[in-house]
Amino acid sequence: MRKKTVLKDGWRFLKHDMPVGTAMEYAARGEAVTVPHTWNAADGQDGGNDYHRGRCWYVRELSPEECAGERLFLEINGAAMSAEVYLNGEKIAEHRGGYSAFRAELTEKLAEKNTLAISVDNSDNDTVYPQKADFTFYGGLYRSVNLIAVPAEHFELIKDGTPGIKVTPVADLEKKTAVVTVETWQNADSVEMTLTGVDSEGNPVELRKTVPSQEGYAAAEFTIENVRLWDGLRDPYLYTASARLGSGDEVSAGFGCRVYEFDAGKGFFLNGRSYPLRGVSRHQDLKGRGNALSVEDHRADMDIVRELGANTLRLAHYQHAQEFYDLCDENGIVVWAEIPYITMHMSGGRQNTLDQMRELITQCYNHPSIAVWGLSNEITAASTVNEELLENHRALNELCHRLDPTRKTTMANVFMLETDSPILDIPDVNSYNLYFGWYVGDMEQTDEFFDEFHEKYPDKVMGFSEYGADANPAFHSSNPEKGDYTEEFQLRYHEHMLRMIEARPWLWATHVWNLFDFAADGRDEGGKHGENQKGLVTFDRGLRKDAFYLYKAAWNKEEPFVHLCGKRYENRCEDETEIAICSNLNKITLYVDDVKVAEQEGNVIFRFRIPLIGEHLIRAEAEGCSDTMVIRRVSEPDGNYIFNKSAASVNNWFDAEEVDESCFSVQDTLAELRADPRAGAVVEAMMAKASAARGDVADAVKDNPALQKMLGRMKLMSLLQQGGADAESIKQLNRVLQGIKKS
Ligand code: GCB
């Protein structure tokens, strides 16, 4: 028998670095905490990059009852980012990487009284990923910590945090069978393996074999006839594989039989039918709790995913909790799993990328929901593509294929990476993160980017791994613009992207960045501290922004609904206003003050215009569903709806400046300026200066013709603003350009 004891209570937390002896001695003075715990739940989201990063201690006494059992193991499901484990002052394990589980055997080191002391460290370094990324690097024992007591004969618990059982189902769609290989590792002579479930007609399946274990390894093959497939949202059916030793030790895993296929021209296929993956990304954190989530928190997140109707999740940017992959299995959500090899390649981090990948695959292998292993994210954002970076990716890619020949690899490329970069040849399938229409350029450039790629590389599988726009639901506008953080702009942005995606079913997967707002302590913008607000739902999960309903209308086929957008935009200063409605029904009737004013047929989003006189009750109806809101006409624009009016000076100073249209100015596009030798020379001189300051990024831009073309369409003004130039230097440059007559 195996016994698991959850070590939730009884911990003392010391928020300082100190030797283990001191930590044990002063433990009683530490803060009493329960695990899961992070020390950055509050300061990890207050903005300004000042959250506590360092080495802290968790100390706990283990009672004799807790230590009972023949062999005793400690299981730590997440210690961010690096940890050292001490039992009675002696170091028994260490682990680098904040997102995977690890275990250590305690048995031989147990004494009469036992004290566990775990140091956890999230300080910066140059060997453990992530070090540079747009999210808070929470520190703590933020997932469960358990004791596992097993008999002397037991399944492997140490190696890479293995579950001890590995299940590989290979489904044959024509024969309607699945050949399932079960492998286990143990210190016993034989293993009894059992598969249970039902077939496609509901008849029970129970297959059993007892197999010998040689050199600690056993394997058996089973064939399920008439197999019931794991079929995504439609029928995420799970079988169970279990393995048992004579000692009574037992391990088991849910598994699913499915076939994933990728086609450059046709997109993604599940079990032989076209199944475009359309969904969102998720970070594992929650306002007030940081990353120390409970099982209920994970469930609540999954409920929102189901409400949205997404069929895929990108679980960014690291390994998520096992509970969450389980939920994906049970709910039929196809998953992109990845390691935090992100933003910047570190020469000293190669081994860590391989370790984190090995643990991710070992620990997550059995989840049928996982379709791809992600090698890296925007790794060329702050690194150039050189041999060292390529070699690291090749090593990761080979590791994935060796550990798991059944799954494909992918990576999320940054927009400025050339599409002919050799790095695109490494993973099996590709993907790009594109923020045209938000950070750079116009939304339409996304369409152009993908079409150009598809035309140039018709045999390469391509996906859209990130896109999004920040929105603070406090801000509103009837003329939404990029950078205004309004809900209305976010809605327009996603409306464009949704249509763009619908017209390109060959994109194997698309993932909105992000389902939820999340902590990014380096940010301080859009009226909030320390948050990335690209979520469709707020950080506390309390509010679904209007763009949420756009996707729900497109993806949720189960729950008919009508949603009036702009509910929070009550006070409107205009004669006529727009009413936007999201719905998965096709005919909407609009009532103003209980009078029917219009009817429209369409899909997903419906836009009406109505005169605005006083206060109005707006009601939208479709097939028995309805939604209402109140809006009113006001004489002055409501200042509460506008983001940071005073700080918007960078955008506004230009209005006051006289511009001589016959001369060049920063309002001209880069291409227009470059076409003139004199204006072009000014721009080149400015670029050379920027390149001296940010060499690697500038080089990546310089050598990328596709990017150059896209940048050419942008106004110099917006390029400068997005590059972070201050108002004074933009003005100076403008004065120089105004001295050059257009020919
Ligand atoms: C990205 C990153 C992601 C950021 C996102 C953003 O490309 O992969 O981690 O959070 O952009 O919002 O800027």
Side-chain angles (χ1 to χ4, degrees):
M1 279 296 286
R2 181 176 277 226
K3 186 173 156 239
K4 186 165 113 178
T5 308
V6 181
L7 302 181
K8 178 170 183 267
D9 304 306
W11 294 93
R12 291 286 169 167
F13 172 64
L14 298 153
K15 201 176 171 177
H16 297 285
D17 191 6
M18 60 188 89
V20 59
T22 319
M24 286 164 66
E25 194 180 334
Y26 290 102
R29 296 196 205 162
E31 183 193 348
V33 297
T34 55
V35 165
H37 174 264
T38 168
W39 60 79
N40 300 118
D43 71 3
Q45 58 195 64
D46 58 5
N49 250 333
D50 55 356
Y51 61 109
H52 184 76
R53 292 184 70 180
R55 182 173 186 249
C56 304
W57 284 92
Y58 292 87
V59 183
R60 190 190 189 279
E61 303 298 326
L62 301 179
S63 71
E65 299 76 56
E66 286 169 338
C67 295
E70 267 182 275
R71 312 293 311 187
L72 192 68
F73 291 81
L74 176 73
E75 174 179 73
I76 298 180
N77 282 310
M81 300 285 181
S82 296
E84 290 178 1
V85 181
Y86 295 81
L87 183 66
N88 303 326
E90 187 184 337
K91 183 151 115 187
I92 55 166
E94 56 183 39
H95 186 257
R96 292 183 217 296
Y99 305 97
S100 46
F102 64 101
R103 303 195 188 94
E105 179 159 13
L106 306 185
T107 321
E108 305 297 340
K109 314 273 178 197
L110 287 169
E112 215 152 287
K113 276 188 70 193
N114 293 291
T115 307
L116 193 60
I118 305 171
S119 73
V120 184
D121 189 350
N122 70 336
S123 44
D124 54 358
N125 61 75
D126 50 17
T127 49
V128 182
Y129 287 96
Q131 288 300 330
K132 201 168 188 227
D134 178 34
F135 57 95
T136 297
F137 303 147
Y138 296 102
L141 281 181
Y142 72 99
R143 287 188 191 139
S144 63
V145 174
N146 307 309
L147 287 175
I148 301 176
V150 289
E153 255 189 12
H154 58 83
F155 290 99
E156 172 67 32
L157 283 146
I158 299 294
K159 193 162 182 326
D160 297 324
T162 173
I165 179 167
K166 182 176 174 191
V167 188
T168 310
V170 178
D172 185 320
L173 299 177
E174 270 180 21
K175 291 193 199 138
K176 298 188 167 54
T177 59
V179 175
V180 183
T181 306
V182 181
E183 296 163 278
T184 59
W185 290 262
Q186 55 282 315
N187 57 359
D189 294 334
S190 73
V191 187
E192 185 184 73
M193 298 181 182
T194 314
L195 295 197
T196 52
V198 295
D199 69 12
S200 62
E201 275 142 32
N203 305 312
V205 171
E206 186 164 333
L207 306 170
R208 182 165 290 133
K209 277 184 190 173
T210 299
V211 288
S213 170
Q214 275 156 355
E215 287 169 27
Y217 171 79
E221 208 177 84
F222 300 86
T223 302
I224 306 177
E225 304 288 346
N226 238 339
V227 66
R228 179 165 169 188
L229 297 172
W230 185 93
D231 205 17
L233 295 178
R234 200 191 274 184
D235 183 21
Y237 183 72
L238 294 173
Y239 287 90
T240 304
S242 51
R244 198 180 158 84
L245 304 178
S247 67
D249 192 29
E250 194 169 339
V251 284
S252 67
F255 72 95
C257 304
R258 81 287 185 265
V259 178
Y260 291 147
E261 287 163 295
F262 302 73
D263 185 290
K266 296 190 191 136
F268 188 79
F269 281 72
L270 171 63
N271 299 332
R273 72 172 197 282
S274 165
Y275 194 78
L277 297 176
R278 301 295 175 251
V280 292
S281 285
R282 176 204 189 230
H283 259 299
Q284 53 167 30
D285 68 345
L286 176 63
K287 192 170 179 75
R289 266 222 244 299
N291 61 349
L293 303 182
S294 65
V295 177
E296 292 71 37
D297 295 330
H298 290 302
R299 282 210 193 101
D301 277 6
M302 181 52 76
D303 288 346
I304 297 175
V305 173
R306 293 308 308 270
E307 180 192 338
L308 186 66
N311 64 10
T312 180
L313 278 175
R314 177 173 171 213
L315 296 182
H317 282 306
Y318 36 71
Q319 184 172 332
H320 285 225
Q322 284 304 314
E323 291 88 337
F324 203 78
Y325 295 105
D326 286 341
L327 285 166
C328 292
D329 295 344
E330 291 157 17
N331 284 279
I333 303 292
V334 177
V335 169
W336 164 324
E338 68 190 42
I339 55 164
Y341 183 25
I342 181 166
T343 318
M344 181 186 68
H345 170 82
M346 302 187 292
S347 291
R350 182 180 185 276
Q351 189 54 44
N352 187 251
T353 63
L354 297 171
D355 292 345
Q356 293 207 42
M357 186 62 88
R358 222 180 38 251
E359 292 177 330
L360 173 76
I361 297 179
T362 305
Q363 294 172 24
C364 298
Y365 183 89
N366 295 331
H367 294 288
S369 55
I370 297 176
V372 289
W373 304 117
L375 306 180
S376 65
N377 178 74
E378 299 203 340
I379 199 66
T380 57
S383 305
T384 34
V385 182
N386 55 27
E387 185 44 38
E388 184 180 300
L389 180 93
L390 291 170
E391 191 281 329
N392 201 147
H393 279 77
R394 278 187 223 112
L396 279 171
N397 198 53
E398 279 156 24
L399 177 72
C400 291
H401 287 151
R402 184 155 47 78
L403 295 180
D404 184 1
T406 74
R407 287 183 177 93
K408 301 271 188 221
T409 56
T410 189
M411 60 187 284
N413 290 315
V414 67
F415 82 100
M416 57 194 180
L417 178 77
E418 308 164 50
T419 55
D420 59 2
S421 166
I423 204 166
L424 270 81
D425 295 328
I426 296 176
D428 300 320
V429 299
N430 272 293
S431 228
Y432 262 84
N433 299 349
L434 300 179
Y435 286 94
F436 294 117
W438 183 248
Y439 292 125
V440 289
D442 306 314
M443 303 176 203
E444 294 72 24
Q445 287 175 256
T446 320
D447 320 22
E448 290 168 23
F449 177 93
F450 283 124
D451 290 343
E452 278 172 22
F453 183 91
H454 196 50
E455 204 187 304
K456 197 163 167 202
Y457 304 104
D459 300 327
K460 280 196 181 169
V461 179
M462 176 53 78
F464 193 11
S465 32
E466 271 182 39
Y467 63 103
D470 292 74
N472 179 336
F475 301 141
H476 300 284
S477 169
S478 295
N479 302 301
E481 282 174 13
K482 166 163 106 177
D484 67 8
Y485 291 87
T486 62
E487 245 186 304
E488 289 72 27
F489 181 78
Q490 190 189 38
L491 181 64
R492 284 207 177 268
Y493 171 92
H494 282 294
E495 186 182 348
H496 176 87
M497 293 305 169
L498 181 68
R499 303 295 188 205
M500 189 289 294
I501 288 165
E502 281 175 348
R504 291 164 183 79
W506 45 265
L507 290 169
W508 72 270
T510 65
H511 292 101
V512 174
W513 190 259
N514 193 287
L515 176 53
F516 305 112
D517 292 346
F518 58 91
D521 203 73
R523 286 182 183 259
D524 202 352
E525 60 183 63
K528 284 195 187 165
H529 299 298
E531 267 185 47
N532 184 313
Q533 297 185 75
K534 292 191 188 67
L536 302 177
V537 178
T538 50
F539 193 17
D540 61 2
R541 309 330 191 220
L543 185 151
R544 287 151 175 74
K545 303 178 195 175
D546 287 338
F548 176 90
Y549 294 95
L550 176 85
Y551 287 103
K552 179 172 172 177
W555 296 339
N556 183 327
K557 309 273 179 252
E558 314 268 296
E559 179 202 331
F561 78 96
V562 179
H563 170 81
L564 275 168
C565 301
K567 284 203 184 87
R568 285 167 281 275
Y569 184 21
E570 276 178 54
N571 303 324
R572 306 183 182 197
C573 177
E574 53 202 7
D575 299 334
E576 206 187 77
T577 199
E578 184 185 86
I579 306 293
I581 295 163
C582 293
S583 177
N584 50 6
L585 300 165
N586 295 119
K587 192 165 158 194
I588 304 288
T589 313
L590 185 70
Y591 297 82
V592 177
D593 301 325
D594 286 326
V595 177
K596 176 173 165 177
V597 296
E599 211 165 62
Q600 216 183 94
E601 288 189 27
N603 67 66
V604 180
I605 182 157
F606 304 78
R607 292 184 186 272
F608 297 86
R609 289 200 72 79
I610 59 160
L612 201 58
I613 301 157
E615 183 165 290
H616 303 289
L617 174 69
I618 312 292
R619 193 169 82 247
E621 283 191 0
E623 291 180 33
C625 300
S626 77
D627 196 15
T628 57
M629 69 177 181
V630 173
I631 56 171
R632 68 187 66 80
R633 164 97 199 243
V634 290
S635 53
E636 295 290 325
D638 187 333
N640 293 320
Y641 294 154
I642 304 167
F643 159 60
N644 211 357
K645 282 153 290 176
S646 57
S649 58
V650 181
N651 291 314
N652 296 338
W653 71 268
F654 201 85
D655 302 342
E657 201 97 333
E658 287 278 304
V659 179
D660 180 350
E661 299 279 343
S662 69
C663 297
F664 286 101
S665 80
V666 290
Q667 293 291 35
D668 293 313
T669 65
L670 197 57
E672 283 162 350
L673 291 162
R674 279 186 165 152
D676 181 278
R678 296 152 308 155
V682 174
V683 171
E684 290 322 320
M686 179 207 79
M687 295 267 185
K689 227 165 107 190
S691 140
R694 295 188 63 191
D696 47 358
V697 178
D699 284 347
V701 174
K702 190 168 86 252
D703 302 335
N704 185 339
L707 181 61
Q708 285 291 349
K709 206 167 114 206
M710 278 181 283
L711 292 180
R713 296 191 199 111
M714 290 175 66
K715 288 183 179 174
L716 182 59
M717 171 83 166
S718 90
L719 276 171
L720 290 168
Q721 285 176 349
Q722 279 158 15
D726 59 287
E728 201 38 54
S729 41
I730 301 180
K731 269 188 211 174
Q732 271 180 24
L733 185 65
N734 191 55
R735 279 185 211 121
V736 177
L737 291 170
Q738 284 276 279
I740 307 173
K741 266 245 171 286
K742 289 184 179 169
S743 47

